[in-house]
């Protein structure tokens, strides 16, 4: 059974600081995703990481993937309040093109002034 | 920009009643999914659907659940006899052929009393 774990579960950080969220998964995976969820809202796709060593950046967020370590990181640079949300990583195992997403536990990020 | 839509946004029902949650996937997408998220918990896969049949379903998706694509645009999730533990946010998602990302709808918050 594929398991996906994130840490920390909750992160409170000051504006302007840097931090990293970690996502570990238990078995070989084809693809890894990062989603953002605001309270009571849907999931917004942030990044899709398709291969070992992949790195993607959008604004203050940068995601990377190490398939050998089965680890992805989401790095936050110079956090701002607007980044406050819950961040989920999700993994697809190679079960075909209709493959389901297995989500991590989520990291609730709170950026304070 | 195309988006997944869901109706209703909120539904309150009595235990034992049937509910139908509706989704309109992005128009040229061929892969459809239902996920649910119990309050404060992670997102869980329910079922995937492709070519007018279920591709995969989780243990949660028991005989009380069914999915249907009654016409060219709608994708529905039916819960035949709701239980208290079915209370959750239900998300529909869709994915295009050759696409990597599943796009999520805004969700239906279901409350079973």
């Amino acid at each position: 059974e594929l398991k996906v774990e994130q840490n920390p579960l909750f992160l409170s950080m000051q504006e302007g600081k840097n931090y990293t969220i970690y996502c570990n998964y238990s078995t070989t995976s084809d693809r890894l995703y990062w989603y953002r969820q605001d309270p009571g809202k849907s999931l917004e796709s942030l990044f899709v990481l398709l291969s070992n060593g992949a790195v993607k950046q959008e604004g203050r967020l940068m995601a990377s993937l190490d398939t050998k370590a089965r680890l992805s990181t989401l790095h936050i640079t110079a956090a701002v309040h607007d980044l406050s949300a819950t961040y989920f990583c999700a993994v697809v195992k190679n079960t075909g093109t209709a493959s389901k997403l297995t989500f991590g536990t989520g990291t609730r990020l709170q950026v304070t002034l | 920009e195309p988006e997944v839509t869901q109706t209703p946004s909120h539904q309150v029902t009595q235990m034992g009643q049937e509910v139908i949650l509706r989704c309109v996937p992005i128009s040229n997408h061929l892969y459809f999914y239902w996920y649910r998220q119990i309050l404060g918990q992670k997102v869980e896969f329910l079922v995937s659907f492709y070519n007018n049949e279920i591709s995969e379903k989780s243990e949660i998706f028991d005989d009380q659940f069914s999915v249907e694509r009654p016409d060219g645009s709608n994708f529905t999730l039916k819960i035949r006899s709701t239980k208290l533990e079915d209370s959750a946010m239900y998300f529909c998602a869709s994915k295009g052929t050759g696409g990597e990302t599943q796009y999520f709808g805004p969700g239906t918050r279901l409350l079973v009393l």
Side-chain angles (χ1 to χ4, degrees):
Chain A
E1 181 193 344
L2 174 57
K3 290 186 180 175
V4 184
E5 293 183 351
Q6 289 179 236
N7 70 85
L9 297 183
F10 178 74
L11 175 58
S12 179
M13 55 190 299
Q14 286 183 314
E15 275 200 334
K17 299 290 187 185
N18 305 332
Y19 209 83
T20 301
I21 299 170
Y22 298 88
C23 172
N24 289 92
Y25 53 96
S26 60
T27 62
T28 305
S29 168
D30 275 356
R31 286 158 273 169
L32 190 134
Y33 301 77
W34 284 96
Y35 283 87
R36 168 183 170 143
Q37 185 180 39
D38 291 298
K41 303 290 186 183
S42 187
L43 294 136
E44 174 191 354
S45 175
L46 295 174
F47 301 108
V48 182
L49 302 168
L50 302 177
S51 59
N52 188 41
V55 176
K56 290 196 175 178
Q57 182 159 7
E58 180 74 34
R60 300 174 188 274
L61 300 177
M62 183 173 72
S64 66
L65 178 62
D66 180 344
T67 57
K68 292 178 183 174
R70 296 177 188 161
L71 171 69
S72 178
T73 60
L74 180 67
H75 187 73
I76 303 151
T77 302
V80 293
H81 181 69
D82 285 353
L83 290 179
S84 297
T86 298
Y87 293 85
F88 289 95
C89 64
V91 172
V92 168
K93 202 163 155 42
N94 183 18
T95 60
T97 50
S99 305
K100 67 181 185 186
L101 291 170
T102 299
F103 280 84
T105 45
T107 296
R108 189 155 78 91
L109 172 66
Q110 184 177 66
V111 181
T112 58
L113 296 171
Chain B
E1 186 178 325
E3 58 184 20
V4 178
T5 60
Q6 289 184 242
T7 54
S9 58
H10 293 79
Q11 173 122 26
V12 180
T13 190
Q14 295 291 323
M15 190 170 56
Q17 295 297 302
E18 174 184 287
V19 295
I20 297 176
L21 310 183
R22 292 183 166 80
C23 168
V24 179
I26 293 172
S27 64
N28 60 346
H29 284 186
L30 297 179
Y31 299 92
F32 313 119
Y33 308 82
W34 284 101
Y35 294 83
R36 79 171 187 190
Q37 185 179 32
I38 295 171
L39 188 64
Q41 298 187 21
K42 68 178 180 180
V43 179
E44 300 173 288
F45 168 77
L46 292 177
V47 66
S48 59
F49 192 87
Y50 170 71
N51 200 25
N52 285 318
E53 60 182 24
I54 291 174
S55 304
E56 188 176 359
K57 58 184 180 180
S58 71
E59 291 175 354
I60 304 167
F61 195 89
D62 61 21
D63 292 344
Q64 294 301 312
F65 290 86
S66 62
V67 289
E68 197 177 34
R69 189 156 161 80
D71 53 43
S73 58
N74 289 284
F75 178 52
T76 62
L77 174 70
K78 182 194 288 187
I79 309 174
R80 255 180 283 280
S81 178
T82 49
K83 303 191 270 285
L84 295 176
E85 54 264 37
D86 293 328
S87 295
M89 180 78 98
Y90 288 81
F91 292 108
C92 172
S94 71
K95 184 171 80 77
T97 305
E100 299 295 341
T101 300
Q102 291 181 27
Y103 293 91
F104 283 75
T108 294
R109 185 170 294 284
L110 176 66
L111 178 60
V112 182
L113 302 176

